Amino acid sequence: MKPAIKRVLWITLLLIGIPLAMAAIAIVVLTQINPNTYKERVTQTISQQTGLVVNIGKISWSFFPWLGMQAENISLQNPQLTIDDPARQLLQMRKADIKIKVMPLFSGNVQIGTLRFDQPKVIYYLSSNGKSNWQRLENPASPPEIASNSTAPPLNMIDVEALVIDQAEISYRDPTQHWQLKPVNITLADIRLQNQILLQPVHIKLEAHAEDKNIAKTEIDIQLNSPLSLQVPQQDFNQLIAQMSPLSLQVNYRDSAFPQGLKAKINNNLHLDLSKNQLTLTELQLDVADAKLTGNATVNALTQQPQITALLNLAPLNLANWLQKNLQLSLNLPSDRLQQVSFNGELKTDGKNLSIQPLQLRLDESTINGDLVISNLQQPIMQANLQIDHLNLDQYLPPSAPATSTHTESPPNATSNNSELFPVATLRELNVKTNLTIDQLQYRNLDIKNTQLKLDARNGLIKITQLRANLLQGSVDAVGALDVRGTTPTLNFKPKVQGLQIQPLLSALQQKPMFSGELNMDGEANTQGQTVSQLTQGLMSQLNVNVNKGALKDINILQKIQEALNTLVPLVSALLPNQSFPKMPAALSNDTEFKQLLASATIENGIVKTQQLNIGLDQAQLHGDANWSLVNDQGNLHFQVTLADSLVNAKLAAIQWPVNCQINLVSLPKCGIDIGPIRQQIEKSLASAAKDNAKQKLNEELNKRLGLEGGANAEAAAKESAKAALQQQEIDAKQKAEEKINKVLNKFFKQ
């Protein structure tokens, strides 16, 4: 054999044999050494460095092809706590197992098969003073100094097939919570380090089950699956860069409110850069029980005061079905409502404040644009500017209850009238400033345009600084305030109405449209109470009302007067035999049409009192007063009608025709003429006419007698006789007139 070949063989044998020999020597040495001999020294060293009590049970070796060490019954305790204190026990572990390949050690490489921890149990207690059982009252002994001339041998590569934490249990307790995570399974696979640099992504798999022991049936299941890439530039962990892409996380939440569970799935790409102190989530996909949210998020100032910016998009969602299916919550809406709900917005928060700018919310056929800012999340101060293109509130009203065959007479809304309207405690905490604009709004079939609402709520005082809308060919402007700072809520309201059509408004409010016309009104109203009944009974107001080109529906006052005049024709003809009786128009409408209505109205204790009520008709004038009860929706209308000279003669025009009406919301008004005052006027007129006729006849008789006889005595006697005759004729004429009047009036106007 040539010398060169021999040298190569020797070198080869040495390269193979020396490691084998060293491995054999290591095995022999390890088999002869009991690892438990050094257990006490190891535990004491750890205790000195940590200040905690460390206990390790049995330690054993395993050999080729893996060099392994196994430790059983490991525990960690805080010696500062008493033995009977359950918080003393920090950690318990049934077994820790590590296996290392022997041969790579000779080349400076560490190849670990599986680093396994079985059934570790971690206990974390947090006391009411904020101190945990893991905190030590005294600093541990300083670790021994390493000689400056000693250096650790370099490790070229560390290769770990898997790090496994199996069936772990984590218990967390504070004065208000007691969470238990059991079991927790964590696997980190394919860990390859070279010179402290991760050569390839580590695959992480985590499964955990969590329960809140203080709240029954509160459970959370977590599953995480993702590769993890790490970079540590210049071995400086402050420059750490980590990436999990793709990251898959599933969470299932259950409690008494969600017995079937609420499942959430999160998929995204996570990038952490400590040099920029930034965390980014891209291609975010959040699926919560089929509600799909997508977007991107960035967290800046991660280790200081985190600032989150997120662009989020909620895909169209059948919200009504989602609430019913997952929350067992029914909103009692029509079946076709909340079928298409979506959201787009940019969210920003620093943990103290939150904003969504811009914000776009799609609600069925309606689109809401604007922005929302919440300052001081601990005690929220909210400011919102919202604009809605169109909103049909009628489509969101609960369906009407079916009519029943039996009907029980009871006050309407008896139950709701006694229900509390204002959540006082919530309103006192409300701190909101809102500017709302609705281009087109529909409510009770009313088309309302350009609605503007400005509201400022603070410390129990809710101010409406502007309420404006155009509807029914007119406009409504109002300001008001609701004050819940005291024991009883108080409400103040100042309305101003211009050119509003009354008839469609009453129809929309499901009231009998007794009136029509163009309403103009201004004034002020205030009340106090917590229920509808209290607010109604305590209502106080002063209003000025002006109605143009209107009508009192289904009743014609002139027709009532015409009927009365027709019954008075015989009496009037007797009174004015030489003058024809003027007739009113033959054809009259069913309504009392008027040019203008003016009134001053007050409301006191639920009673509407209208004074100085003046109504101008084409050929008549009405003036009077009205009373209306807001409690039972009934009232009386009293007025007097004066006919125009162009319609009747002067004497009839002087008569004031009293009219009384009973009004309610469910039937036509009942109106009638009070014949008493008219009867007195006619009696007086007829008596005066009879007296004039009697005087005329007496004078004629007197003149006749004076012409036939002469002398003073005869003249005196004639005068006395004429005087007596005149008195008797006056009595007879008056009696006959009264009999005639009573006969005619009792026939036509008997009450």
Side-chain angles (χ1 to χ4, degrees):
M1 183 177 296
K2 295 182 179 180
I5 296 176
K6 290 182 180 181
R7 284 196 294 269
V8 172
L9 289 175
W10 275 107
I11 293 173
T12 303
L13 290 175
L14 287 174
L15 291 175
I16 297 175
I18 292 175
L20 290 176
M22 293 180 65
I25 294 171
I27 293 173
V28 172
V29 172
L30 291 174
T31 56
Q32 300 299 320
I33 298 175
N34 185 356
N36 293 281
T37 304
Y38 303 96
K39 179 175 64 176
E40 184 175 355
R41 181 181 300 177
V42 172
T43 57
Q44 288 179 355
T45 302
I46 297 175
S47 296
Q48 290 175 359
Q49 294 184 7
T50 62
L52 303 175
V53 176
V54 180
N55 291 309
I56 302 176
K58 181 181 178 182
I59 301 177
S60 58
W61 297 112
S62 62
F63 302 102
F64 196 85
W66 299 98
L67 173 62
M69 184 178 70
Q70 186 179 95
E72 300 178 359
N73 300 325
I74 303 169
S75 67
L76 192 63
Q77 299 177 355
N78 189 339
Q80 303 293 337
L81 303 177
T82 60
I83 295 178
D84 57 348
D85 190 341
R88 177 184 175 92
Q89 192 74 28
L90 306 179
L91 171 68
Q92 287 180 308
M93 190 186 310
R94 191 181 72 86
K95 183 173 61 175
D97 193 357
I98 180 171
K99 297 184 181 299
I100 303 175
K101 282 188 176 181
V102 177
M103 297 303 297
L105 291 174
F106 297 105
S107 59
N109 299 327
V110 177
Q111 292 188 13
I112 301 175
T114 300
L115 182 59
R116 186 181 187 91
F117 301 97
D118 288 342
Q119 300 179 15
K121 182 178 180 181
V122 180
I123 302 172
Y124 189 94
Y125 280 76
L126 188 65
S127 63
S128 57
N129 61 9
K131 189 174 182 63
S132 77
N133 59 331
W134 284 77
Q135 290 177 285
R136 293 157 293 169
L137 298 179
E138 299 178 359
N139 293 326
S142 300
E145 296 184 359
I146 302 175
S148 59
N149 58 353
S150 62
T151 57
L155 294 176
N156 295 330
M157 181 178 291
I158 299 177
D159 189 345
V160 182
E161 289 186 1
L163 168 63
V164 178
I165 300 176
D166 187 40
Q167 300 292 310
E169 178 180 344
I170 302 173
S171 180
Y172 171 85
R173 178 178 291 182
D174 63 24
T176 60
Q177 301 181 83
H178 182 193
W179 281 94
Q180 186 178 63
L181 281 71
K182 177 184 178 181
V184 178
N185 296 312
I186 302 175
T187 301
L188 280 71
D190 302 326
I191 304 173
R192 299 194 67 192
L193 289 169
Q194 186 172 21
N195 297 326
Q196 303 181 22
I197 296 177
L198 195 62
L199 299 180
Q200 64 184 26
V202 176
H203 196 87
I204 301 175
K205 184 176 181 181
L206 180 146
E207 296 179 351
H209 175 81
E211 296 183 14
D212 189 342
K213 295 300 183 179
N214 288 346
I215 303 178
K217 299 181 180 179
T218 301
E219 302 179 12
I220 302 176
D221 289 317
I222 302 172
Q223 292 184 353
L224 184 147
N225 199 335
S226 174
L228 170 65
S229 299
L230 293 176
Q231 298 180 29
V232 187
Q234 301 176 358
Q235 310 301 314
D236 184 359
F237 279 91
N238 292 324
Q239 305 294 319
L240 174 69
I241 298 175
Q243 183 166 327
M244 301 178 74
S245 177
L247 169 63
S248 175
L249 176 64
Q250 297 185 32
V251 179
N252 186 13
Y253 178 85
R254 294 182 298 275
D255 65 7
S256 56
F258 312 107
Q260 297 180 352
L262 192 63
K263 296 181 180 180
K265 298 179 181 179
I266 303 175
N267 293 286
N268 66 89
N269 300 320
L270 181 149
H271 184 82
L272 172 65
D273 190 340
L274 290 184
S275 64
K276 297 180 180 180
N277 209 7
Q278 184 183 78
L279 173 69
T280 60
L281 300 175
T282 58
E283 300 182 20
L284 174 65
Q285 297 180 1
L286 174 61
D287 188 338
V288 183
D290 298 329
K292 300 183 183 300
L293 185 70
T294 60
N296 300 292
T298 301
V299 184
N300 292 309
L302 183 62
T303 60
Q304 301 165 358
Q305 181 69 45
Q307 299 178 0
I308 302 174
T309 301
L311 292 172
L312 301 176
N313 173 47
L314 176 66
L317 171 68
N318 188 329
L319 184 59
N321 289 346
W322 192 92
L323 293 173
Q324 179 65 47
K325 178 181 178 181
N326 298 287
L327 306 184
Q328 288 76 52
L329 178 62
S330 177
L331 300 180
N332 194 27
L333 295 176
S335 58
D336 63 340
R337 294 298 87 193
L338 295 184
Q339 300 292 299
Q340 292 287 322
V341 178
S342 61
F343 168 82
N344 284 286
E346 181 177 1
L347 181 148
K348 295 182 179 180
T349 181
D350 59 359
K352 296 180 179 180
N353 308 301
L354 182 145
S355 67
I356 304 178
Q357 298 175 311
L359 175 152
Q360 184 180 78
L361 178 65
R362 183 76 178 179
L363 188 68
D364 294 323
E365 298 85 11
S366 303
T367 301
I368 304 172
N369 291 292
D371 56 75
L372 173 68
V373 177
I374 302 177
S375 304
N376 189 5
L377 293 175
Q378 296 296 324
Q379 296 179 340
I381 302 173
M382 184 171 68
Q383 182 170 347
N385 297 291
L386 302 174
Q387 181 178 0
I388 305 176
D389 56 354
H390 59 269
L391 178 62
N392 188 343
L393 289 179
D394 292 336
Q395 296 180 342
Y396 293 91
L397 294 177
S400 302
T404 57
S405 58
T406 60
H407 177 69
T408 304
E409 293 293 337
S410 61
N413 301 326
T415 301
S416 61
N417 285 353
N418 294 321
S419 302
E420 292 190 353
L421 297 177
F422 308 116
V424 174
T426 302
L427 292 177
R428 286 174 180 168
E429 299 295 327
L430 195 62
N431 202 333
V432 177
K433 193 171 184 179
T434 301
N435 186 359
L436 174 65
T437 300
I438 306 177
D439 295 337
Q440 293 182 337
L441 174 66
Q442 182 170 320
Y443 178 66
R444 294 187 180 274
N445 293 322
L446 291 177
D447 291 326
I448 306 171
K449 297 181 179 180
N450 302 323
T451 301
Q452 294 182 346
L453 172 64
K454 292 183 179 180
L455 182 145
D456 191 349
R458 191 175 304 173
N459 301 324
L461 180 60
I462 298 95
K463 295 180 181 179
I464 299 176
T465 57
Q466 182 184 54
L467 175 59
R468 176 176 296 175
N470 297 325
L471 71 157
L472 300 177
Q473 303 177 29
S475 64
V476 175
D477 287 87
V479 295
L482 172 63
D483 192 344
V484 295
R485 293 174 295 182
T487 56
T488 303
T490 61
L491 182 64
N492 177 269
F493 198 64
K494 294 181 180 180
K496 184 177 181 180
V497 179
Q498 292 181 318
L500 192 69
Q501 296 300 315
I502 300 176
Q503 183 173 353
L505 176 63
L506 294 176
S507 299
L509 298 177
Q510 298 181 348
Q511 296 182 359
K512 179 66 179 179
M514 301 176 298
F515 294 99
S516 67
E518 184 183 278
L519 174 64
N520 299 278
M521 182 181 69
D522 62 70
E524 182 175 4
N526 58 78
T527 185
Q528 61 180 358
Q530 178 63 293
T531 66
V532 173
S533 297
Q534 293 172 351
L535 293 172
T536 302
Q537 294 174 5
L539 183 60
M540 306 285 288
S541 76
Q542 180 69 48
L543 302 172
N544 297 313
V545 181
N546 178 2
V547 181
N548 296 321
K549 300 177 182 179
L552 178 63
K553 308 297 290 184
D554 298 322
I555 184 73
N556 194 308
I557 302 300
L558 293 181
Q559 188 178 41
K560 291 289 183 180
I561 297 175
Q562 184 183 45
E563 293 172 357
L565 282 174
N566 291 336
T567 63
L568 295 176
V569 168
L571 296 180
V572 176
S573 298
L575 177 63
L576 304 169
N578 298 324
Q579 184 174 351
S580 62
F581 183 73
K583 294 183 178 180
M584 299 181 66
L588 293 173
S589 68
N590 294 328
D591 306 328
T592 301
E593 299 178 353
F594 56 85
K595 295 180 179 179
Q596 188 178 47
L597 181 152
L598 298 174
S600 176
T602 61
I603 303 177
E604 184 174 355
N605 299 326
I607 303 297
V608 181
K609 298 180 180 180
T610 303
Q611 306 295 334
Q612 302 176 3
L613 175 61
N614 293 285
I615 306 176
L617 281 65
D618 287 337
Q619 295 178 311
Q621 186 71 32
L622 285 71
H623 62 274
D625 59 76
N627 294 318
W628 179 269
S629 174
L630 296 175
V631 177
N632 55 24
D633 290 330
Q634 295 183 355
N636 296 307
L637 177 63
H638 308 282
F639 55 87
Q640 294 179 333
V641 182
T642 303
L643 301 177
D645 292 343
S646 60
L647 188 64
V648 294
N649 59 53
K651 286 194 174 182
L652 290 180
I655 296 177
Q656 294 183 344
W657 301 82
V659 178
N660 296 326
C661 296
Q662 294 181 351
I663 306 173
N664 57 56
L665 295 180
V666 295
S667 62
L668 295 177
K670 298 179 180 179
C671 296
I673 298 176
D674 186 357
I675 203 65
I678 303 174
R679 178 173 178 167
Q680 292 177 1
Q681 293 184 59
I682 295 178
E683 285 179 349
K684 183 178 180 180
S685 299
L686 289 177
S688 176
K691 182 177 180 180
D692 292 341
N693 290 335
K695 284 183 178 181
Q696 182 179 0
K697 290 181 180 180
L698 183 60
N699 289 331
E700 291 175 354
E701 181 68 23
L702 180 61
N703 292 332
K704 180 180 179 182
R705 291 185 179 186
L706 290 175
L708 295 175
E709 302 177 1
N713 293 333
E715 182 179 356
K719 288 182 178 181
E720 289 294 330
S721 177
K723 182 178 180 180
L726 179 61
Q727 291 177 348
Q728 184 61 43
Q729 288 182 10
E730 288 179 356
I731 295 173
D732 293 342
K734 183 177 181 180
Q735 183 177 0
K736 289 181 180 180
E738 290 179 350
E739 290 176 355
K740 188 176 181 180
I741 291 171
N742 289 334
K743 183 177 180 180
V744 175
L745 294 179
N746 289 336
K747 178 179 179 181
F748 293 101
F749 299 101
K750 189 174 182 180
Q751 299 293 316

